[in-house]
Amino acid sequence: MMKSLTDRFGRWLGPYAALWITLIVGGFLIITLALLGAEVYQSVVAKDGVAGLDQPALELAKQYRNPGVDAVVTAFTNIGGGIGMPIMTSILVAWLTYTSRSWRPLILVGGAAVVSLTATTVGKTLMGRTRPQHTDAVPPFEFSPSFPSGHTLNTTVVIGVVVYLMCLQMAKIWIRASVIASGALFIIAMGLSRVFLGHHWMTDVMAAWLLGLAWVGIVILAHQLFHTIRRRAHAGPAPTFEHPALTPGNETPENGQGSHKAGNGSGGGEPTPG
């Protein structure tokens, strides 16, 4: 029994070792970057070095506010909040998992989101930056620290990874370009909505964009490294529900439906997009 469990664990972990290692190391790097970035940012803010950007951006936003626009922007920004974002993420991950017939969307989006939330918490706790005054904001008001913008950071990470996974399943260039453009517009709009409503300073949003894009880049690197290692090992296509991960000496799937040894028809092609 113990040997069987060990073998099963080894078969699952082996092909994903590079993926997990890169995600873990990258996650620590992103959290460290949040710490260092917060320290540098605090020094800059203390010297009023960003006053030329934050206050003018807030004043510009206030000029375009009216009850109708405020309601629409508030409804939109709630999508990136503590209730809207988990719901949207669950729907997107469920769809990607079903269409790709793989667990990778769950692993990549879930892992990316955990690090994003951690970086947000670390940055807010360390900085403790005060949000714009309530007199300059649109209700409902928020009271947590301002830096970085959690809505912006988490949206950048989740949508960025989802866009990447969707593009892997799209064959036509114009469809990929449309998906990328739509994702970018959504991320930009989410960040600007936080400034428009007076819930964040512009520099909170800009920092969140940069931190989020850096983490998305690491997640994509991990996934590409995973595929590269599988190709070099001639391990066949990436694992799916129907074709679990195989390792040398265990080329027969558990369902007993035949062999997928390296070098046969299924092992010589490109990895299944995931």
Side-chain angles (χ1 to χ4, degrees):
M1 176 64 71
M2 183 59 68
K3 186 177 185 299
S4 176
L5 290 175
T6 302
D7 290 343
R8 286 172 179 266
F9 181 75
R11 291 198 300 272
W12 179 82
L13 180 63
Y16 288 94
L19 181 67
W20 283 112
I21 291 172
T22 307
L23 287 176
I24 291 172
V25 173
F28 278 115
L29 289 176
I30 289 299
I31 294 172
T32 301
L33 182 60
L35 287 168
L36 295 176
E39 288 288 351
V40 174
Y41 184 76
Q42 192 170 30
S43 299
V44 173
V45 171
K47 297 179 180 179
D48 207 25
V50 293
L53 177 61
D54 284 336
Q55 197 61 44
L58 179 60
E59 294 300 326
L60 178 63
K62 290 166 61 177
Q63 295 178 17
Y64 294 94
R65 290 178 186 169
N66 62 63
V69 174
D70 294 352
V72 171
V73 177
T74 298
F76 172 74
T77 202
N78 287 339
I79 297 175
I83 297 177
M85 181 54 66
I87 293 175
M88 182 178 68
T89 301
S90 298
I91 294 173
L92 290 173
V93 169
W95 175 72
L96 285 169
T97 301
Y98 175 77
T99 56
S100 68
R101 306 298 294 169
S102 166
W103 294 113
R104 287 190 306 283
L106 181 61
I107 294 173
L108 292 179
V109 177
V114 168
V115 172
S116 174
L117 289 170
T118 303
T120 300
T121 302
V122 168
K124 287 181 178 293
T125 301
L126 181 63
M127 279 293 299
R129 189 187 189 193
T130 303
R131 294 175 184 265
Q133 296 293 323
H134 288 172
T135 54
D136 293 326
V138 176
F141 304 122
E142 300 184 22
F143 300 91
S144 62
S146 187
F147 179 91
S149 167
H151 282 64
T152 306
L153 177 55
N154 297 324
T155 297
T156 301
V157 169
V158 170
I159 298 301
V161 176
V162 167
V163 165
Y164 166 70
L165 293 173
M166 289 178 65
C167 286
L168 291 179
Q169 300 185 49
M170 307 297 179
K172 296 183 178 180
I173 299 298
W174 72 268
I175 297 180
R176 291 183 179 180
S178 299
V179 170
I180 293 172
S182 299
L185 287 174
F186 187 88
I187 290 170
I188 292 171
M190 183 59 67
L192 294 180
S193 73
R194 308 304 290 157
V195 178
F196 180 85
L197 296 173
H199 294 168
H200 279 285
W201 301 106
M202 187 66 199
T203 46
D204 299 334
V205 170
M206 293 173 64
W209 278 332
L210 294 175
L211 194 62
L213 289 174
W215 177 226
V216 170
I218 290 177
V219 172
I220 293 174
L221 173 63
H223 193 224
Q224 290 298 315
L225 184 60
F226 164 77
H227 281 304
T228 299
I229 290 177
R230 286 194 62 81
R231 282 197 294 268
R232 290 180 178 177
H234 302 288
T240 63
F241 296 143
E242 292 84 2
H243 303 292
L246 305 178
T247 55
N250 181 51
E251 291 83 5
T252 302
E254 293 178 9
N255 60 14
Q257 292 181 357
S259 173
H260 292 272
K261 293 184 179 180
N264 66 8
S266 66
E270 289 295 315
T272 302

